[in-house]
Amino acid sequence: MTTAAEELETEVRRLRIRIISLTPAQLDEATATAPSRRQAIIDALAEFSSITSAGREVPWLSDHALADQVVVLLEHGLSTSARLSEDERDDQIRTLTEAAVRLRRALA
């Protein structure tokens, strides 16, 4: 596994823990980039989908599913990157990692 992939997996674990720890009231709180943490997560899900899934719509499930949705989309991106050329794979993993870090910081 590449260092870039390991970094992404670390961000996946961090985000999962961070999102699970948010209460409904905390999800309602605004961030610097979104009217609420919930919306920041929803926006990030759309970004992850645009990077790895041709922008397919991510369905709204519930607050309880947000962490799972983030994990699934990021892990999907990691697995689909294995089918790309080395340069494309590195670009996709780096782009996903940057998006994951932005989300984690927005949720802080």
Side-chain angles (χ1 to χ4, degrees), residues 23-72:
T23 66
Q26 289 171 321
L27 283 170
D28 290 336
E29 292 174 358
T31 71
T33 59
S36 69
R37 285 186 173 109
R38 181 181 297 103
Q39 189 61 51
I41 296 167
I42 291 167
D43 293 346
L45 290 170
E47 182 179 7
F48 301 154
S49 177
S50 73
I51 295 166
T52 64
S53 301
R56 275 185 256 159
E57 186 177 335
V58 179
W60 169 255
L61 300 176
S62 71
D63 286 350
H64 299 293
L66 288 172
D68 292 333
Q69 287 179 289
V70 166
V71 169
V72 166

Side-chain angles (χ1 to χ4, degrees), residues 70-105:
V70 166
V71 169
V72 166
L73 279 173
L74 290 173
E75 288 181 349
H76 171 73
L78 191 56
S79 69
T80 61
S81 69
R83 295 183 284 246
L84 302 173
S85 71
E86 187 174 343
D87 287 340
E88 290 174 319
R89 178 179 56 243
D90 291 344
D91 285 344
Q92 180 168 302
I93 291 172
R94 186 179 62 253
T95 302
L96 281 171
T97 302
E98 290 168 356
V101 168
R102 278 193 306 277
L103 174 58
R104 182 174 47 82
R105 289 179 178 159

